[in-house]
């Protein structure tokens, strides 16, 4: 059975890295990075959140087709209580197509999160824009997002929580695979 695996978490917890690696090792899997899709929409620099909403709509359509065709989709995307089109829309796509929905939250402690944010080299223009906003010393954006994610998690008891504090990409990936495999065995 096809699965939609949603990797949720703060910026720089490894969502895109793990998603890309999973897709590379699981032929046919779609690594559906909505930040990349957002950057393909004209005007995204002037109105990022409008472009993101458009990307989410296209992303749902792409995910539905891929899942209906029997292939997994891995979605590296931060979702919090303040998203206008929250995660249940992608969960609904999985259900509507007969696929399994798995949500994995990548966590990191506050100190290490700040270190990762400042050490990140953006992979594309959208990431660069987001990183600039997150690193603004006059902004409390990072703290607000952390709070919004915590509030979201309180309502998601079935989401798998994976703490990446103090571990590298390889160990994070191994723990992620183990968590996803255990979930698959329960079905």
């Amino acid at each position: 059975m096809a699965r939609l695996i949603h990797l949720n978490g703060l910026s720089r917890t490894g969502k895109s890295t793990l998603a890309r690696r999973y897709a590379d090792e699981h032929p046919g899997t779609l690594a559906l990075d909505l930040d990349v899709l957002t950057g393909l929409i004209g005007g995204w620099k002037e109105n990022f959140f409008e472009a993101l909403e458009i990307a989410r709509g296209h992303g749902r359509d792409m995910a539905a087709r891929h899942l209906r065709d029997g292939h997994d989709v891995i979605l590296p995307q931060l979702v919090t209580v303040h998203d206008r089109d929250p995660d249940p829309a992608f969960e609904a796509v999985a259900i509507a197509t007969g696929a399994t929905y798995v949500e994995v939250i990548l966590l990191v402690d506050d100190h290490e999160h700040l270190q990762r944010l400042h050490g990140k080299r953006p992979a594309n223009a959208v990431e660069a824009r987001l990183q600039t906003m997150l690193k603004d010393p006059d902004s409390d954006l990072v703290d607000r997002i952390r709070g919004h994610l915590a509030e979201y998690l309180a309502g998601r008891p079935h989401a798998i929580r994976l703490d990446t504090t103090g571990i590298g990409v390889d160990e994070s990936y191994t723990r992620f695979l183990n968590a996803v495999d255990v979930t698959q065995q329960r079905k």
Side-chain angles (χ1 to χ4, degrees):
M1 175 183 288
R3 296 184 291 178
L4 192 156
I5 303 168
H6 176 196
L7 283 172
N8 198 351
L10 300 170
S11 179
R12 200 56 181 155
T13 54
K15 298 181 302 290
S16 295
T17 300
L18 296 184
R20 184 72 259 155
R21 186 165 172 183
Y22 184 86
D24 288 346
E25 293 181 10
H26 295 82
T29 297
L30 172 63
L32 183 55
D33 193 326
L34 296 181
D35 290 346
V36 172
L37 197 53
T38 299
L40 299 176
I41 296 169
W44 74 266
K45 291 179 184 176
E46 293 76 29
N47 195 337
F48 175 77
F49 293 105
E50 183 177 314
L52 178 59
E53 290 304 310
I54 294 168
R56 284 181 171 161
H58 292 312
R60 285 190 302 274
D61 293 343
M62 291 171 68
R65 179 176 180 174
H66 211 71
L67 293 166
R68 274 194 306 272
D69 288 346
H71 302 288
D72 286 351
V73 173
I74 188 160
L75 175 73
Q77 182 66 37
L78 169 66
V79 173
T80 73
V81 293
H82 290 286
D83 284 297
R84 288 178 271 172
D85 188 8
D87 168 71
F90 278 96
E91 186 172 4
V93 166
I95 293 166
T97 59
T100 301
Y101 177 82
V102 179
E103 183 175 22
V104 179
I105 313 294
L106 301 179
L107 304 169
V108 65
D109 73 26
D110 293 352
H111 177 74
E112 186 169 324
H113 181 239
L114 288 177
Q115 288 179 326
R116 290 181 186 188
L117 276 177
H118 291 288
K120 183 176 183 175
R121 289 178 36 203
N124 57 54
V126 173
E127 278 189 14
R129 173 96 181 263
L130 291 171
Q131 187 168 347
T132 299
M133 293 178 352
L134 293 170
K135 288 172 63 174
D136 180 353
D138 297 326
S139 172
D140 67 343
L141 182 59
V142 172
D143 291 331
R144 285 187 288 131
I145 292 172
R146 283 183 187 142
H148 297 164
L149 181 61
E151 189 178 341
Y152 173 84
L153 289 176
R156 305 294 290 178
H158 298 294
I160 300 165
R161 279 120 169 110
L162 180 62
D163 191 349
T164 64
T165 304
I167 61 174
V169 173
D170 290 338
E171 181 63 24
S172 293
Y173 186 67
T174 298
R175 290 182 187 185
F176 161 70
L177 287 178
N178 289 336
V180 171
D181 286 344
V182 167
T183 303
Q184 181 70 14
Q185 292 170 6
R186 288 188 209 148
K187 302 291 179 197

